[in-house]
Amino acid sequence: MKNLLASILVAAVSTATAAEAPQDFGGIFGRGINLGNALEAPAEGEWGVTLREEYFAAIKDAGFQHVRIPVRWSAHAALESPYTIDPKFLARVDWAIAQATDRGLAVVLNMHHYDEIFEDPDAERDRFLGIWGQLATHYHDAPATLALEPLNEPHKKLTNERWNELSAAAITLIRKSNPTRFIVVGPGGYNNFQQLPHFKIPAGDSNIVATFHYYDPFHFTHQGAAWVGEQSKEWLGKTWSGTDAEKADVRKAFDAASAWAKEHGVAMYLGEFGAYGKADIESRVAWTRFIAEECRQRGMASAYWEFCSGFGAYDPKTNEWRKPLLEALGGR
Ligand code: GLC
């Protein structure tokens, strides 16, 4: 009896410690890649990417540790309360998550392109939380290697001030059913690292992970990117060769992001970085290699933007990696 009591006590204590101990997000998630332009398109396939089983196999074989899966939940949930998510779409996302986790790839599942909330955060608040309530319940017993990211790149009217309040509400909601799951959350202003000083991350929860996106110099990474505007044509031909000054700019940003994370006692995750295919390949490779290496040196998990579309490290026509980019990312 005494022994039994003692072992129950030990079990209780170790469970409590496990729940409170910060898990090694950087080590588990390591190098990753975004499955962009698929499930965050208005409908899968509309932006040229339909997820296939062999994509997950190729990502695993190349040595990546995780995928980030951007999802446009807002296009697949009812407009009226309780904002029911289309079960077929949810099943499709579950399929993608299973493709990854069955192969030992960790997953960051986000909410992407909720355009309506950037225009009118007050009107969309209930729906945003309603969708997250459903997702939190649905994924509450998923493997610990599934991380949830409440919202990609808050911007426009979803200012830092509003996002600080709304992200805290989303985290509180998710925590009710997922007490220790990794939650990834970043600042307003498109998750730009420069916005970190304005970002309030809930204190005392070591399984909350901060995130930022890095696309600087923007005129280099987004040259010819029609979706950022006509002026992007004027940036065509910009190169990046890794001069001392160019490297110093990157290091300054990453030092600032790391220092912020340290100060707040959380891990930092680079959820997106990439240079669009209109830039020359030598510059893209040099830039990508340097960023990936800066992350590695800091023990920071990162995800390249993106797998097989305009920034693609993988060519979906030949079903082959673009080797120089893959190598720059540390893949094989
Ligand atoms: C952001 C946008 C995505 C875009 C990427 C690069 O994630 O949401 O649509 O492709 O940045 O510009």
Side-chain angles (χ1 to χ4, degrees):
M1 183 65 183
K2 220 174 164 187
N3 276 350
L4 184 67
L5 265 181
S7 55
I8 290 172
L9 213 68
V10 168
V13 169
S14 52
T15 317
T17 320
E20 282 152 26
Q23 299 176 44
D24 179 14
F25 183 85
I28 299 169
F29 283 69
R31 291 181 299 109
I33 195 156
N34 276 277
L35 287 167
N37 286 21
L39 294 165
E40 90 282 21
E44 189 185 4
E46 228 170 86
W47 287 355
V49 183
T50 301
L51 297 180
R52 303 157 64 120
E53 204 171 319
E54 54 263 41
Y55 292 171
F56 294 88
I59 291 168
K60 176 67 184 175
D61 290 348
F64 289 98
Q65 286 163 262
H66 84 277
V67 287
R68 182 168 176 262
I69 307 182
V71 181
R72 192 188 292 239
W73 295 105
S74 56
H76 306 277
L79 295 174
E80 305 296 332
S81 177
Y83 315 108
T84 306
I85 299 169
D86 171 9
K88 269 202 199 132
F89 183 74
L90 186 58
R92 177 67 177 157
V93 176
D94 288 349
W95 170 86
I97 294 170
Q99 284 297 317
T101 50
D102 289 355
R103 289 183 169 80
L105 288 164
V107 175
V108 175
L109 178 71
N110 84 355
M111 178 181 283
H112 211 99
H113 290 316
Y114 191 164
D115 297 337
E116 304 90 321
I117 204 168
F118 306 133
E119 300 299 336
D120 195 346
D122 293 338
E124 298 295 328
R125 183 192 166 86
D126 279 0
R127 188 164 181 256
F128 171 76
L129 293 173
I131 295 172
W132 270 112
Q134 293 170 67
L135 295 175
T137 312
H138 185 72
Y139 293 117
H140 83 278
D141 60 359
T145 52
L146 173 72
L148 301 176
E149 180 178 358
L151 190 62
N152 181 67
E153 298 192 346
H155 62 277
K156 277 194 189 159
K157 292 189 181 155
L158 190 50
T159 57
N160 273 304
E161 202 186 350
R162 290 196 147 147
W163 177 235
N164 284 341
E165 185 279 323
L166 186 59
S167 57
I171 290 168
T172 304
L173 175 68
I174 295 168
R175 277 285 173 259
K176 283 187 194 159
S177 49
N178 295 259
T180 59
R181 182 172 304 289
F182 286 125
I183 298 179
V184 173
V185 62
Y190 294 94
N191 292 153
N192 191 297
F193 74 95
Q194 286 170 333
Q195 300 295 321
L196 284 167
H198 310 292
F199 177 45
K200 287 207 180 85
I201 197 158
D205 184 335
S206 47
N207 290 324
I208 292 182
V209 176
T211 188
F212 74 110
H213 294 174
Y214 193 77
Y215 288 107
D216 288 347
F218 195 72
H219 292 188
F220 162 64
T221 65
H222 278 70
Q223 54 188 286
W227 67 94
V228 301
E230 270 291 298
Q231 76 278 15
S232 66
K233 280 189 196 151
E234 291 159 26
W235 310 334
L236 286 167
K238 292 236 181 268
T239 59
W240 196 92
S241 55
T243 62
D244 288 349
E246 285 170 337
K247 287 181 174 170
D249 283 345
V250 176
R251 287 203 181 103
K252 207 172 142 198
F254 280 67
D255 285 346
S258 295
W260 188 93
K262 203 167 171 205
E263 190 188 316
H264 292 83
V266 294
M268 182 59 85
Y269 169 55
L270 179 62
E272 288 184 17
F273 70 106
Y276 190 46
K278 296 269 166 96
D280 71 278
I281 188 72
E282 289 79 18
S283 296
R284 291 173 69 204
V285 168
W287 184 86
T288 302
R289 187 189 311 281
F290 189 67
I291 308 288
E293 183 56 23
E294 287 300 301
C295 291
R296 203 190 57 76
Q297 280 175 15
R298 290 173 167 82
M300 192 190 281
S302 64
Y304 181 70
W305 184 271
E306 32 60 31
F307 178 60
C308 71
S309 197
F311 294 68
Y314 183 89
D315 183 344
K317 292 201 183 87
T318 59
N319 284 322
E320 272 167 21
W321 288 97
R322 299 192 168 105
K323 275 279 166 9
L325 273 176
L326 177 64
E327 277 160 24
L329 291 168
R332 48 168 192 258

